[in-house]
Amino acid sequence: MTTTTDVAASAMRKAMWRLGPFLGLLYLIAYIDRNNAGFAKLEMTTALGITESAFGLAAGIFFIGYLLFEVPSNLMLQRFGARKWIARIMVSWGIVAVATAFVTDATQFTVARFILGVAEAGFFPGVLLYITFWFPQQYRTTILAIFAVSNPLANAISAPISGWIMDLHGLWGLQGWQLVFVLEGIPAVLLAFVTYRWLPDRPQDARWLDDAERTWITTTLAEEQAATERRHGRLGVGAVFGNGRLWSLIFLFFGVVFGAYGLGLWLPTIVKGMGGYSSTVTGWLVMIPNLFAALVMLPWERFARRRGNIPRQAGITLTVTALALLAAVAARDVPWLALAAISVGLAALFSTTPLFWSLPPKFLTGTAAAAGLAFINSVGNLAGFAGPYAIGWISETTGTAVWGLLVVSALTLGGAAVAFTLSRKKEWAD
């Protein structure tokens, strides 16, 4: 006789295998397209006469476009459905990513990065919202880890590929940095059509679930939503933006994003500066910390989930990040040791992501969840503007980007302090 436990296990296994890897693939492509400027920078700054601080400004302004359009985009996703809206986002960002190859100066590059942020706005929080349509609370850190592991995988995969593409200089009459944008932007457009056919909007639309599995998912999620609203009240969209819990999460998220994008965009420059390596060798070296992070994230998530008190586990990962980056600065004259320290720091930083994003649904439901997830991501992602710009300024002032790791360390330590504070409150620790 089939029990409820059997139905739940079957439903979650099917949903995780059907949705997790595919959503992760989309995120991998998105992350490559927003961070490949870090590799293109190795040539384009000289080719276009862009200064270090101007590059940092242009790289970071991506997140201003994000800030302005994240919430409207997520509300549109809830209205029109995930498969249509996510496919639309992918076509938009793919076209803009390819067009970036043809900018001719710092101003055009800045405009292109801003438009890329507008085009991609809503993708990440849209997927987070989509996950809440499918997975009850106890399963979310796992599916979020499967999804978020694409972040370091994107860096690991794109690093040697971008380095190799750079060395194809002259193909189709394009410079290496132009080829990076063109060849890494096309997959987003192609995958948009696959997305439209692959993603069902809700469990009710999934033909690969049987009736019992669809019923279990929808009933369980409805019961969780009702319990959350009894505990925290049903927030309207307007009330979300002044909610104290939400702002606590934004402060925590700021430190995570500052580190993720500061390192993501500047790591090729930092590594290349350690030994004057070629673009290809730099690509393989940059792959090491990202591949290590990808290997660590899922085991780290399982360990954290077993230990419980997710805010405390997030505080621990951010503390490890801060200490590891301090060690990398101290070992800057010993490249292999500095790279090992960066590897540990990056693994801890990326492992914070699934832990963090399991927290907002503890008090956000319905339309408030759509607006709240987007607002947390958009405001927190201002650190994605501040991080690259700060490291660019430090690099231009000191002659090396390595010292920027100290700023990343300080911000992640601040995020850890917020996480440990939240861990002492029962509503977060449950």
Side-chain angles (χ1 to χ4, degrees):
M1 179 177 178
T2 304
T3 65
T4 301
T5 301
D6 294 333
V7 172
S10 176
M12 290 295 92
R13 182 171 59 253
K14 289 180 181 178
M16 283 194 182
W17 279 109
R18 176 81 181 195
L19 302 178
F22 184 73
L23 292 173
L25 173 64
L26 301 188
Y27 188 36
L28 184 149
I29 298 300
Y31 208 80
I32 287 175
D33 282 340
R34 72 173 65 167
N35 268 9
N36 59 10
F39 255 95
K41 172 187 177 295
L42 300 177
E43 285 185 3
M44 74 179 297
T45 50
T46 300
L48 303 184
I50 300 175
T51 66
E52 296 290 287
S53 57
F55 174 83
L57 173 65
I61 207 167
F62 168 93
F63 295 100
I64 302 300
Y66 235 55
L67 173 65
L68 296 175
F69 290 90
E70 284 270 80
V71 173
S73 179
N74 235 28
L75 294 175
M76 291 298 99
L77 182 146
Q78 190 174 49
R79 178 178 179 182
F80 294 112
R83 69 190 187 99
K84 291 180 182 177
W85 199 250
I86 291 176
R88 193 283 306 162
I89 290 173
M90 294 181 67
V91 169
S92 301
W93 100 55
I95 291 172
V96 177
V98 172
T100 304
F102 304 100
V103 301
T104 59
D105 55 34
T107 300
Q108 290 183 12
F109 180 52
T110 302
V111 171
R113 290 291 295 184
F114 175 80
I115 296 174
L116 183 64
V118 173
E120 197 184 314
F123 172 75
F124 185 78
V127 172
L128 296 178
L129 179 64
Y130 184 66
I131 285 172
T132 68
F133 298 163
W134 288 84
F135 297 93
Q137 184 71 40
Q138 70 183 96
Y139 298 96
R140 281 186 195 144
T141 57
T142 301
I143 188 64
L144 285 167
I146 293 172
F147 173 60
V149 77
S150 295
N151 188 319
L153 272 180
N155 287 337
I157 293 170
S158 68
I161 290 177
S162 296
W164 173 72
I165 291 174
M166 293 274 283
D167 288 336
L168 293 177
H169 185 93
L171 179 68
W172 303 331
L174 300 175
Q175 298 180 43
W177 66 269
Q178 293 177 303
L179 290 168
V180 167
F181 288 121
V182 171
L183 295 180
E184 293 181 356
I186 290 174
V189 178
L190 299 179
L191 276 171
F193 299 98
V194 180
T195 299
Y196 185 78
R197 298 296 301 271
W198 186 264
L199 289 185
D201 286 325
R202 301 270 185 167
Q204 300 93 309
D205 306 316
R207 288 179 291 180
W208 38 268
L209 293 174
D210 62 34
D211 289 341
E213 291 163 345
R214 283 191 288 266
T215 299
W216 180 83
I217 293 175
T218 55
T219 301
T220 303
L221 290 173
E223 291 172 350
E224 283 192 353
Q225 178 172 332
T228 299
E229 291 174 357
R230 284 195 301 270
R231 185 172 186 179
H232 298 292
R234 183 179 178 88
L235 294 177
V237 173
V240 167
F241 306 112
N243 186 275
R245 299 185 190 93
L246 181 137
W247 282 100
S248 295
L249 293 180
I250 287 173
F251 291 140
L252 168 54
F253 191 50
F254 193 91
V256 177
V257 176
F258 191 99
Y261 288 107
L263 287 175
L265 282 166
W266 285 93
L267 193 56
T269 301
I270 292 171
V271 171
K272 189 178 180 71
M274 287 178 177
Y277 307 109
S278 69
S279 294
T280 299
V281 172
T282 298
W284 286 106
L285 291 176
V286 169
M287 183 182 72
I288 293 172
N290 286 289
L291 187 59
F292 179 70
L295 292 172
V296 163
M297 282 180 68
L298 290 175
W300 202 319
E301 180 276 329
R302 287 194 295 270
F303 174 78
R305 183 159 38 86
R306 287 197 299 268
R307 293 294 299 272
N309 196 325
I310 296 302
R312 180 182 298 159
Q313 305 308 317
I316 291 171
T317 60
L318 289 174
T319 301
V320 171
T321 299
L323 296 178
L325 295 182
L326 284 175
V329 174
R332 61 189 179 278
D333 295 327
V334 186
W336 69 267
L337 189 57
L339 193 63
I342 290 173
S343 298
V344 172
L346 208 62
L349 183 64
F350 284 141
S351 294
T352 308
T353 301
L355 304 180
F356 173 83
W357 285 113
S358 69
L359 297 175
K362 285 181 175 288
F363 67 95
L364 294 174
T365 61
T367 305
L373 289 169
F375 190 62
I376 291 169
N377 195 55
S378 60
V379 178
N381 267 316
L382 286 177
F385 170 78
Y389 183 69
I391 296 179
W393 180 84
I394 290 170
S395 177
E396 193 169 293
T397 302
T398 66
T400 175
V402 172
W403 293 108
L405 296 179
L406 293 179
V407 182
V408 176
S409 178
L411 266 292
T412 53
L413 200 58
V418 175
F420 284 129
T421 300
L422 295 179
S423 73
R424 300 171 62 183
K425 298 180 180 180
K426 189 175 185 302
E427 62 183 301
W428 291 105
D430 289 346

